[in-house]
Amino acid sequence: MLFSAIIFATAVALVLANNAPTYPSYISSTTDNSYGSYRPFNAAAPVPQNRKPSNASFADDGCGDSSVRFKGDGYCYPLLKKGPCYSVLLWITVDPYTYEGICTPRLCGREKVFVGRDGLCHDILDTKECRGGRRLYYSAYGDPICDCPIGQYPFPSEEDDCVPLFTQGPCPTNQVVSVSSSGKLECAPNTCQLVDRYQDFLLQLVPVKQSIISNHKYGNGNGQKLCHALGSCGPCSPSELFGYNVFRPLGECVYMNDPRTPYFSSPEENAILDEVFGRAANEPNNRFYRAQRLSRKRRQGPNTIGIFQQPSRIPTSLLNPCQPGGRNGNNFKCANPLVPSRPVRDVSQPVSPAFGCRPNDFLQATGQCGSNRGPASCGPSFQFIPATNQCRPIRF
């Protein structure tokens, strides 16, 4: 089994070397000083939290929040998907130099993120890699990062723990964390009151007047304001879920079978991915272990304020969620609208990626190999600075 995996990894490397599209060398000796307020991170440290510069500006490419215009043909394709790339071992990311879409190596399978510190593919829900309730994602550039679960944000500061939108969090009584019209997180009056004391206090209830659903009367006939839970069917059709657009900011229905959404998951492509990446996962000692369930059981209260049961399995996004505010840095392309989910599954242990390097070399998030472990923790939009042992943004 090990021998066949080595042959497989070698064949993949040869294919990539001979046939892969050309893209910039992300580990460059040229230092770019236009880092703005984006702080460097220590290459020996755990996966960095998502940070974005405040002084960068990005032109709209007309492809939406989670798709990018591909450098090869000029069409829009969803990020972190195979798209027009010739192999399932490649996917679309953003070129940090031109901000166009390019094909880059996909190192890990579904719901797993490559961590350069140990060179393994970690479950996105691996709590050992991220702090403050955060989980693993990729940025649009292919950088492994820690960010809050979909529909949650660190509040009141960027260093605080994640708090679900439209819940009380650290706000005073009868107030919830909300997004202001200017795109800032704030405490605002809670206009959605739970009518059943057994209902989940973490339900993210959005007042209908804050949504773009126009065919529902404001109220339920009993003087209560109609509200809908994020991630539920809410007022949407059976093939849609109720989400929240952080740039508008408004609630809206999201068609989950639309390949352009960051939540779409193709059964055909999934089968190929599982077969390819399963070879590494099935190596000796790579057995899945059981962990604490990630969401508690909850009782769904009466449907009196527009709440509907959430589907049991919502595909989760590998692309980091959009943050309120300007479309800068890792907020240039991101997952939006927000469709929260509470995964109920066991966390899997780290497994080997589908790509390998020669002995004593280290695999990097770019898919390249190097003799220094330091650059292995730098994402594709970063460069390694040997003098400081830090990763610095290449351009933005």
Side-chain angles (χ1 to χ4, degrees), residues 223-384:
Q224 287 182 321
K225 296 179 179 179
L226 189 63
C227 299
H228 298 286
L230 292 181
S232 71
C233 293
C236 308
S237 68
S239 58
E240 297 176 323
L241 291 177
F242 189 55
Y244 190 74
N245 191 316
V246 296
F247 292 131
R248 299 195 66 161
L250 295 167
E252 62 182 61
C253 292
V254 180
Y255 181 52
M256 301 303 287
N257 291 326
D258 186 347
R260 295 170 296 181
T261 71
Y263 310 103
F264 176 76
S265 184
S266 167
E268 295 78 14
E269 187 169 329
N270 288 345
I272 299 175
L273 288 171
D274 290 345
E275 179 181 0
V276 171
F277 288 98
R279 302 187 185 190
N282 289 328
E283 286 299 307
N285 301 323
N286 276 349
R287 299 175 181 175
F288 291 96
Y289 67 89
R290 298 191 63 82
Q292 183 179 1
R293 289 286 179 173
L294 295 171
S295 64
R296 60 185 177 85
K297 295 180 180 180
R298 59 188 175 93
R299 172 183 169 182
Q300 183 69 49
N303 181 26
T304 56
I305 53 175
I307 304 173
F308 289 81
Q309 180 66 44
Q310 183 188 66
S312 59
R313 188 70 173 93
I314 299 176
T316 188
S317 173
L318 278 177
L319 182 64
N320 68 284
C322 294
Q323 302 179 20
R327 299 171 185 257
N328 302 327
N330 285 333
N331 217 30
F332 167 51
K333 295 290 183 179
C334 41
N336 186 55
L338 309 176
V339 181
S341 65
R342 300 194 199 176
V344 182
R345 65 171 177 82
D346 296 326
V347 179
S348 62
Q349 73 172 14
V351 298
S352 301
F355 294 70
C357 296
R358 295 175 300 180
N360 300 322
D361 279 355
F362 302 97
L363 182 64
Q364 303 169 6
T366 59
Q368 299 171 332
C369 297
S371 58
N372 187 348
R373 179 178 289 276
S377 294
C378 301
S381 72
F382 288 79
Q383 60 181 334
F384 180 66

Side-chain angles (χ1 to χ4, degrees), residues 83-107:
C85 303
Y86 71 89
S87 168
V88 74
L89 291 175
L90 298 172
W91 60 5
I92 300 292
T93 59
V94 172
D95 186 329
Y97 292 93
T98 66
Y99 306 121
E100 297 175 294
I102 53 175
C103 292
T104 55
R106 175 173 185 164
L107 305 186

Side-chain angles (χ1 to χ4, degrees), residues 54-282:
S54 59
N55 60 349
S57 178
F58 298 83
D60 184 5
D61 62 0
C63 293
D65 298 324
S66 57
S67 295
V68 68
R69 196 165 298 280
F70 186 59
K71 188 174 184 178
D73 58 18
Y75 289 103
C76 297
Y77 295 97
L79 285 160
L80 305 186
K81 306 290 184 181
K82 177 179 177 295
C85 303
Y86 71 89
S87 168
V88 74
L89 291 175
L90 298 172
W91 60 5
I92 300 292
T93 59
V94 172
D95 186 329
Y97 292 93
T98 66
Y99 306 121
E100 297 175 294
I102 53 175
C103 292
T104 55
R106 175 173 185 164
L107 305 186
C108 301
R110 291 192 293 146
E111 298 193 347
K112 284 184 169 54
V113 170
F114 177 77
V115 176
R117 176 181 55 79
D118 58 14
L120 297 176
C121 297
H122 287 249
D123 193 310
I124 59 173
L125 303 174
D126 189 340
T127 57
K128 296 180 181 178
E129 295 302 318
C130 302
R131 296 170 293 181
R134 293 165 178 80
R135 48 150 282 203
L136 288 168
Y137 290 95
Y138 286 105
S139 74
Y141 308 96
D143 304 318
I145 56 176
C146 289
D147 209 342
C148 290
I150 301 287
Q152 301 185 31
Y153 293 102
F155 185 77
S157 75
E158 289 189 1
E159 302 300 326
D160 286 319
D161 292 352
C162 300
V163 178
L165 283 176
F166 305 107
T167 66
Q168 180 177 345
C171 296
T173 304
N174 296 325
Q175 293 192 16
V176 293
V177 180
S178 185
V179 181
S180 70
S181 57
S182 61
K184 294 183 179 180
L185 294 174
E186 63 178 9
C187 292
N190 180 19
T191 58
C192 294
Q193 300 296 329
L194 295 177
V195 296
D196 181 353
R197 65 186 181 92
Y198 292 106
Q199 283 182 317
D200 195 334
F201 70 96
L202 289 179
L203 279 177
Q204 297 170 265
L205 302 176
V206 183
V208 73
K209 70 175 182 177
Q210 294 187 24
S211 75
I212 58 175
I213 311 301
S214 59
N215 59 341
H216 286 262
K217 183 179 178 181
Y218 183 55
N220 63 355
N222 298 322
Q224 287 182 321
K225 296 179 179 179
L226 189 63
C227 299
H228 298 286
L230 292 181
S232 71
C233 293
C236 308
S237 68
S239 58
E240 297 176 323
L241 291 177
F242 189 55
Y244 190 74
N245 191 316
V246 296
F247 292 131
R248 299 195 66 161
L250 295 167
E252 62 182 61
C253 292
V254 180
Y255 181 52
M256 301 303 287
N257 291 326
D258 186 347
R260 295 170 296 181
T261 71
Y263 310 103
F264 176 76
S265 184
S266 167
E268 295 78 14
E269 187 169 329
N270 288 345
I272 299 175
L273 288 171
D274 290 345
E275 179 181 0
V276 171
F277 288 98
R279 302 187 185 190
N282 289 328

